[in-house]
Amino acid sequence: MSHCAEFQIVGRIGKIKKVGTTLRVTIAASYPYKDDRGEWTEKTRWNEITIFNEARQSYIQRNIKSGDLVRATGVIEQTSWDKNGETQYGVSLACEQIGRLAKGPNHTDGNGDDDIVP
């Protein structure tokens, strides 16, 4: 039996930035819940995903803009690095698939390529 830690995020694109050989993309996802008075409210959480695959990076740079609604899936990986002789730990969201679900208000080009990139 195989065990893995996976993620799925549906939300709006924030920033897209190149970091070394990777592409980092922030996604704002809203989580609705009932508050203490029983009224529905939303909390927005920002998540940063990392894209390692060059074809996926190219797709994002050509087709995805800030404000677009996307669905991203991938694996959760623990990372570690050395800082001042002490090992630091973190978590990386390594994106394996991403696709645009809807264009946002900042998307002005006429490209209709809405496919999910495996």
Side-chain angles (χ1 to χ4, degrees):
M1 175 187 286
S2 172
H3 299 282
C4 62
E6 298 178 320
F7 73 87
Q8 172 181 286
I9 301 170
V10 176
R12 298 266 176 203
I13 294 291
K15 294 181 180 178
I16 300 171
K17 61 184 174 183
K18 187 80 170 162
V19 178
T21 60
T22 67
L23 197 64
R24 303 273 175 95
V25 179
T26 58
I27 301 174
S30 295
Y31 298 87
Y33 65 95
K34 283 190 177 182
D35 64 15
D36 295 338
R37 296 181 308 241
E39 296 177 19
W40 283 102
T41 187
E42 282 190 1
K43 179 173 182 145
T44 301
R45 293 191 177 116
W46 286 93
N47 302 279
E48 183 177 77
I49 62 172
T50 303
I51 294 90
F52 296 96
N53 180 281
E54 289 182 20
R56 236 173 264 114
Q57 290 180 23
S58 178
Y59 168 81
I60 291 167
Q61 290 171 324
R62 284 190 330 269
N63 298 296
I64 306 289
K65 306 281 188 241
S66 178
D68 286 356
L69 181 65
V70 297
R71 176 181 176 268
T73 61
V75 295
I76 302 169
E77 299 176 343
Q78 184 177 23
T79 57
S80 63
W81 63 94
D82 186 63
K83 182 177 180 181
N84 300 328
E86 191 173 318
T87 303
Q88 304 290 310
Y89 296 95
V91 174
S92 175
L93 302 177
C95 181
E96 294 180 339
Q97 286 188 337
I98 187 165
R100 185 176 60 220
L101 303 174
K103 292 181 180 178
N106 299 329
H107 203 118
T108 57
D109 73 7
N111 189 342
D113 184 8
D114 290 338
D115 295 336
I116 291 177
V117 176

